[in-house]
């Protein structure tokens, strides 16, 4: 198999996740994000979980989160209303690390 | 609160700092509880990575011989990537793999290593509780006395925050402000499986030997660099960037890394491999200057990444060894204290005794050189162009090397004066 560029969803599909369907560990304030001009989250999330939809609105899915915390550190306008680690046993489980 | 249920120490996080602390305390008969949010220790952790062996030796002589390690690093490499070319420097030191001698460093994978080290702490008598996230600290009369996880409350004489770079515990204790964007790097990594024989052929390794490679010029001009470590049956390939610069230049970290992977001087090294995991993690990058002013409170100590204990000199990156040292120093301070009020100041003393703080201070100047923006694209491009011109032979009469270099400096948007200033700054910084 020859080495190829891989899209983020393909890379994330290799990882083991136990998604907490009841309690999202990252919650956005859509109103703040709507008016945020810089949107650093679009560039700095290694899992590319922050995207723009066709209307230019920010979409986000916490399911593939690698729990690095880069978005939280970079979010200057506080659009990330909540960022905590997932509850015990939930989230990503690195088998290599 | 029932006194019988009180631990001597509760450690938040079963990474190398927490496990080393637990190991040392439990060995001396202390009642220790380690709380880990991952299902198993190492589950939430990512490294480049390598471990410098001296730290395990300090924890216990000979411990490394049974540790979950990958390969002994005998090849230290530096790579400068140009647009479509690369310069590799390979320092091969077979003495790093001599029998009867402790190898300098090993490549490692954290899921295996952390689980192993935590199991050693358990063997010493520490209690390990996995899959539990500590939500908050319990404070009474200005002293940290316990932790809360969901409905459960647990108490101890001292709480050790070994909860990593995003240390919410240290923030809650008021010892850490929220992380500044320019004080951290974000690392991404693919673990790519390859047969051991192929790894050994490609990197010119004997059985059990490994290579560690730092890569400059793969970040599209963003302050950062790449790394490659050979494991037993895989290669860890990744990049660390300053996220603030990536955002400013509107460059996606994922994309830059994928381009690095496809670079004509990188892709042959991993050809035929199969990616099995994609990880990401923050890395403290501020060095000595980034260490919080206070590393303790009454009943509370910070260790490892939580305390910012990482060294990046560009050619070597140290974090796991410093984590083990700081965990050990914390344990020694606890063992030497009769009451909790002087544990903190003893901890600082132990961090000095174990040479962690002096080591970080000694290399603090390296950060200054790394602020030079053109180091991350123009410099590696120039170096490649100079080599390209040096090795070029054709039917023409060769031009003057000096003239060629001058024009290449200019072509790369640099000046001789800039390079001289850079050299002087470099000499001053180290």
């Amino acid at each position: 198999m020859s080495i190829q560029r891989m899209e983020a969803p393909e890379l994330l599909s290799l990882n083991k996740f136990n998604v907490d369907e009841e309690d999202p560990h990252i919650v956005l304030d859509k109103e703040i994000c709507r008016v945020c001009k810089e949107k650093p989250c679009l560039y700095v999330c290694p899992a590319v979980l922050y995207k723009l939809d066709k209307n230019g609105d920010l979409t986000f899915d916490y399911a593939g989160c690698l729990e690095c915390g880069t978005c939280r550190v970079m979010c200057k306008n506080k659009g990330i209303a909540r960022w905590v680690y997932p509850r015990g046993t939930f989230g990503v489980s690195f088998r290599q690390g | 609160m029932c006194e019988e249920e009180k631990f001597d120490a509760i450690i938040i996080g079963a990474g190398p700092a927490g496990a080393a602390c637990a190991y040392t305390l439990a060995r001396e008969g202390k009642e220790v509880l380690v709380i880990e949010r991952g299902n198993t220790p190492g589950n939430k952790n990512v490294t480049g990575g390598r471990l410098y062996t001296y730290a395990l030796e300090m924890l216990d002589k000979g411990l490394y011989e049974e540790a979950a390690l990958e390969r002994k690093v005998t090849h230290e490499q530096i790579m400068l990537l140009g647009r479509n070319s690369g310069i590799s420097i390979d320092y091969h030191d077979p003495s790093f793999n001599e029998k009867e001698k402790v190898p300098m460093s090993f490549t490692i994978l954290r899921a295996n290593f952390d689980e192993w080290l935590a199991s050693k702490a358990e063997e010493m008598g520490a209690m390990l509780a996995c899959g539990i996230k500590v939500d908050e600290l319990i404070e009474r009369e200005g002293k940290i006395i316990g932790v809360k996880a969901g409905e459960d409350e647990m108490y101890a004489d001292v709480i050790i925050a070994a909860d990593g770079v995003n240390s919410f515990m240290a923030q809650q204790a008021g010892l850490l402000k929220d992380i500044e964007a320019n004080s951290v790097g974000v690392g991404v990594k693919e673990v790519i499986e390859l047969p051991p024989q192929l790894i050994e052929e490609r990197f010119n390794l004997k059985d059990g030997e490994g290579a560690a490679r730092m890569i400059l010029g793969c970040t599209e001009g963003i302050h950062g660099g790449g790394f490659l470590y050979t494991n037993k049956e895989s290669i860890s390939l990744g990049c660390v960037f300053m996220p603030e610069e990536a955002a400013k230049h509107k460059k996606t970290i994922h994309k830059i890394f994928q381009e690095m992977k496809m670079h004509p001087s990188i892709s042959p090294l991993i050809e035929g491999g199969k990616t099995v995991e994609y990880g990401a993690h923050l890395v403290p990058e501020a060095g000595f200057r980034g260490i919080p002013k206070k590393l303790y409170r009454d009943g509370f100590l910070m260790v490892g990444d939580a305390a910012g204990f990482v060294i990046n000199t560009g050619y070597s990156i140290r974090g796991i060894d410093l984590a083990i040292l700081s965990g050990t120093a914390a344990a020694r301070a606890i063992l030497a204290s009769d009451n909790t009020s002087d544990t903190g100041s003893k901890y600082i003393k132990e961090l000095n005794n174990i040479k962690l703080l002096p080591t970080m201070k000694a290399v603090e100047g390296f950060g200054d050189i790394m602020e030079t923006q053109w180091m991350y694209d123009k410099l590696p491009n120039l170096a490649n162009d100079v080599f390209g011109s040096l090795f070029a032979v054709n039917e023409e009469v060769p031009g003057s090397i000096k003239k060629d270099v001058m024009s290449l400096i200019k072509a790369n948007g640099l000046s001789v004066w800039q390079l001289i200033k850079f050299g002087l700054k470099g000499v001053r910084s180290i």
Side-chain angles (χ1 to χ4, degrees):
Chain A
M1 195 177 72
S2 71
I3 287 294
Q4 278 166 1
R5 283 178 194 82
M6 288 166 85
E7 293 298 326
E10 193 185 354
L11 285 166
L12 296 175
S13 74
L14 304 170
N15 293 354
K16 188 178 163 197
F17 290 99
N18 181 17
V19 180
D20 189 347
E21 305 285 356
E22 287 167 27
D23 191 7
H25 69 288
I26 302 173
V27 180
L28 306 187
D29 183 328
K30 287 270 152 97
E31 282 313 299
I32 295 179
C33 295
R34 204 169 50 78
V35 295
C36 173
K37 285 208 176 70
E38 299 86 2
K39 291 191 177 56
C41 51
L42 293 176
Y43 310 102
V44 302
C45 172
V48 203
L49 299 176
Y50 296 84
K51 288 178 208 144
L52 293 178
D53 66 14
K54 56 181 188 302
N55 301 321
D57 288 326
L58 190 70
T59 67
F60 171 70
D61 184 359
Y62 66 93
C65 178
L66 301 171
E67 299 167 34
C68 65
T70 313
C71 59
R72 190 184 69 84
V73 172
M74 289 298 301
C75 180
K76 299 277 171 10
N77 297 326
K78 305 276 170 230
I80 298 178
R82 167 185 156 98
W83 198 109
V84 294
Y85 284 130
R87 291 189 288 169
T89 73
F90 287 106
V92 68
S93 281
F94 293 116
R95 289 168 291 190
Q96 305 281 335
Chain B
M1 182 172 83
C2 174
E3 279 300 316
E4 275 96 9
E5 283 176 12
K6 197 167 133 184
F7 290 93
D8 291 319
I10 292 176
I11 299 165
I12 307 167
C21 186
Y23 182 93
T24 310
L25 286 172
R27 188 179 52 194
E28 302 303 319
K30 294 282 182 192
E31 298 271 329
V32 188
L33 172 66
V34 188
I35 307 176
E36 164 58 44
R37 70 185 181 93
N39 275 322
T40 53
N43 230 213
K44 299 288 186 182
N45 301 342
V46 182
T47 181
R50 99 158 84 191
L51 167 72
Y52 287 96
T53 324
Y54 80 97
L56 271 186
E57 280 291 275
M58 257 178 170
L59 190 59
D60 231 336
K61 280 255 170 294
L63 199 56
Y64 79 91
E65 288 174 64
E66 50 168 307
L69 304 166
E70 294 294 320
R71 288 172 180 269
K72 292 172 202 166
V73 177
T74 49
H75 289 253
E76 298 281 358
Q77 306 176 333
I78 294 172
M79 194 176 203
L80 301 176
L81 291 181
R83 293 163 200 93
N84 288 300
S85 58
I87 302 165
S88 302
I89 300 166
D90 177 21
Y91 172 65
H92 174 223
D93 192 338
S95 80
F96 290 162
N97 186 19
E98 270 170 13
K99 280 204 174 84
E100 315 300 327
K101 200 172 153 191
V102 180
M104 181 86 72
S105 67
F106 286 87
T107 56
I108 69 168
L109 291 163
R110 293 291 294 278
N112 290 337
F113 178 77
D114 290 13
E115 191 174 13
W116 167 80
L117 189 57
S119 78
K120 297 312 286 182
E122 268 187 301
E123 274 174 33
M124 285 293 161
M127 194 188 286
L128 177 65
C130 288
I132 296 169
K133 184 180 74 156
V134 171
D135 296 308
E136 45 188 288
L137 299 169
I138 305 171
E139 191 175 332
R140 193 173 296 158
E141 290 158 8
K143 184 179 184 295
I144 310 286
I145 57 160
V147 299
K148 217 173 151 183
E151 297 300 305
D152 294 323
E153 293 187 358
M154 285 149 279
Y155 298 89
D157 286 334
V158 58
I159 310 295
I160 294 118
D163 57 335
V165 56
N166 286 304
S167 186
F168 293 115
M169 293 301 126
Q171 284 183 38
Q172 218 185 93
L175 295 176
L176 205 64
K177 277 195 233 135
D178 208 347
I179 306 172
E180 298 278 349
N182 61 9
S183 72
V184 284
V186 51
V188 297
K189 175 174 100 163
E190 278 183 40
V191 177
I192 303 160
E193 272 182 1
L194 273 171
Q197 199 196 337
L198 214 53
I199 295 174
E200 283 151 19
E201 275 170 25
R202 283 182 192 173
F203 291 86
N204 196 18
L205 307 169
K206 283 192 190 150
D207 184 34
E209 291 185 348
R213 183 179 298 206
M214 301 292 121
I215 307 163
L216 190 66
C218 54
T219 52
E220 300 189 15
I222 292 166
H223 182 162
F227 58 82
L228 184 154
Y229 295 94
T230 57
N231 305 312
K232 276 179 189 153
E233 297 177 359
S234 64
I235 283 175
S236 294
L237 179 70
C239 246
V240 178
F241 312 83
M242 298 308 269
E244 208 172 28
E245 288 181 30
K248 214 184 286 167
H249 294 103
K250 300 199 181 303
K251 287 180 175 169
T252 313
I253 279 165
H254 159 265
K255 270 224 175 73
I256 306 174
F257 172 51
Q258 290 302 311
E259 290 311 315
M260 167 191 158
K261 192 172 94 173
M262 299 311 292
H263 189 284
S265 299
I266 296 287
S267 61
L269 299 171
I270 49 173
E271 187 55 45
K274 181 173 166 252
T275 301
V276 291
E277 188 168 270
Y278 179 58
H281 215 275
L282 284 179
V283 195
E285 285 285 351
F288 186 74
R289 294 163 200 170
I291 299 173
K293 291 224 156 47
K294 244 186 126 206
L295 292 169
Y296 62 89
R297 271 182 61 177
D298 195 3
F300 187 83
L301 304 174
M302 298 156 68
V303 295
D305 272 8
F309 294 149
V310 174
I311 291 174
N312 178 2
T313 61
Y315 55 84
S316 83
I317 295 162
R318 299 170 57 175
I320 306 167
D321 58 327
L322 304 182
I324 293 172
L325 291 193
S326 63
T328 308
R332 287 179 184 172
I334 293 164
L335 293 167
S337 311
D338 299 322
N339 62 69
T340 60
S341 60
D342 61 351
T343 309
S345 55
K346 283 213 166 81
Y347 174 46
I348 303 300
K349 217 175 275 169
E350 292 294 344
L351 284 174
N352 281 305
N353 286 344
I354 212 161
K355 301 191 189 105
L356 190 157
L357 291 175
T359 299
M360 287 196 69
K361 177 97 176 86
V363 296
E364 91 171 293
F366 278 85
D368 295 337
I369 320 172
M370 289 190 242
E371 273 163 25
T372 309
Q373 202 57 48
W374 46 265
M375 203 178 122
Y376 302 99
D377 49 2
K378 291 177 182 171
L379 190 68
N381 281 337
L382 172 64
N384 275 273
D385 289 349
V386 168
F387 270 66
S389 131
L390 206 61
F391 291 121
V393 172
N394 55 30
E395 71 281 8
E396 300 296 334
V397 177
S400 134
I401 293 176
K402 191 173 130 195
K403 235 171 148 183
D404 278 356
V405 171
M406 288 305 193
S407 73
L408 288 172
I409 291 173
K410 214 172 149 198
N412 277 288
L414 292 167
S415 70
V416 177
W417 178 233
Q418 261 179 312
L419 291 168
I420 293 170
K421 270 205 303 196
F422 178 69
L424 288 174
K425 194 175 170 185
V427 171
R428 268 200 304 269
S429 302
I430 55 172

